[in-house]
Amino acid sequence: MGIALLLGQLDRRLRTREQAESVMDMRARVTIPKVRDLDRDQVVVTTGRHDPLSDSYRTVRNLVGFVHGPGDPAKGAPITLVVSPGPGDGKTSLAVNLAAAMAENGQRTILVNTDFRRPRLATTLGAEAIVPLPFMLEDLDEVDCKDLLHHTDHRNLLLMDLSTINGSAGELVRATVEQLPHLVQLADAIVIDSSPVGATAEVLELVPH
């Protein structure tokens, strides 16, 4: 019991809505229901499905849309960056279902992977999304960004994932960042899945966007 109490005192993770609201000093507008590990990293926002889990992601979509406000065609698509301190916090689940909810709403949405150490977006979206790209890292300056997009089984939802290109995680993130100005002109919304903030500094290259 003593060890359990000590571990509890040392645990710095936010476990409840109340803890999150206290630390962030703001109200949590929506809570994603807990699911079993077997049910994680799945696209649950699908046509005809309405339950507490899928509808919570739709609520996130509505809140993000409210925060972004009316779109400005001159600036292109708004970008939503999904971050968290560590692995296993649910970034991929949130990113893929937020993007699916935006696509369901009729927005042409591009889901972008920048977690090149643990890339899981493609497998979440289905086999068609993981066809290797026929390019080298040094070729990307000359490649039309449309050729870097994978079609998915979900209407209005495209994936950009450079993980099949040979290069370090840092190089692939920088190559992805360089494509963002082109991507915002192709989409109505962009959602980026990132690596854990506490493990890498690569997410800092995405924040300015």
Side-chain angles (χ1 to χ4, degrees):
M1 287 180 63
I3 293 173
L5 289 171
L6 177 61
L7 291 175
Q9 291 295 321
L10 295 175
D11 185 359
R12 303 297 299 274
R13 287 196 176 200
L14 302 179
R15 299 287 183 178
T16 66
R17 179 179 186 144
E18 291 73 20
Q19 287 177 325
E21 291 178 333
S22 175
V23 169
M24 302 296 290
D25 194 25
M26 61 179 65
R27 180 184 169 194
R29 299 291 179 176
V30 61
T31 302
I32 306 298
K34 291 182 178 180
V35 296
R36 299 175 304 168
D37 287 343
L38 292 176
D39 296 329
R40 295 185 62 182
D41 294 346
Q42 293 186 19
V43 183
V44 299
V45 179
T46 56
T47 303
R49 174 171 175 170
H50 290 279
D51 54 19
L53 181 58
S54 61
D55 285 342
S56 66
Y57 289 117
R58 293 183 177 98
T59 303
V60 174
R61 173 199 64 199
N62 296 340
L63 291 170
V64 169
F66 177 78
V67 170
H68 282 310
D72 183 350
K75 294 182 179 178
I79 298 175
T80 304
L81 175 63
V82 180
V83 299
S84 82
D89 289 334
K91 287 186 299 300
T92 298
S93 298
L94 176 56
V96 72
N97 282 289
L98 173 58
M102 290 175 168
E104 179 187 58
N105 218 25
Q107 295 175 282
R108 181 178 170 86
T109 306
I110 298 177
L111 182 59
V112 180
N113 173 56
T114 62
D115 186 357
F116 294 106
R117 290 178 175 81
R118 298 175 70 238
R120 289 163 33 222
L121 277 182
T123 53
T124 302
L125 289 169
E128 185 182 356
I130 56 175
V131 176
L133 292 168
F135 306 113
M136 302 292 288
L137 196 60
E138 54 269 22
D139 298 332
L140 297 184
D141 289 338
E142 309 297 329
V143 174
D144 188 331
C145 67
K146 293 180 182 178
D147 295 330
L148 301 176
L149 299 176
H150 301 279
H151 290 277
T152 73
D153 293 335
H154 305 273
R155 186 180 180 187
N156 298 322
L157 181 58
L158 299 168
L159 171 69
M160 180 175 175
D161 186 349
L162 304 184
S163 60
T164 59
I165 296 177
N166 188 31
S168 69
E171 290 173 329
L172 294 173
V173 169
R174 285 187 287 275
T176 302
V177 169
E178 290 173 0
Q179 295 297 326
L180 289 179
H182 307 295
L183 294 180
V184 296
Q185 302 303 321
L186 298 176
D188 299 315
I190 293 176
V191 179
I192 302 177
D193 184 26
S194 65
S195 56
V197 176
T200 70
E202 290 147 10
V203 69
L204 298 179
E205 301 199 34
L206 296 159
V207 172
H209 298 271

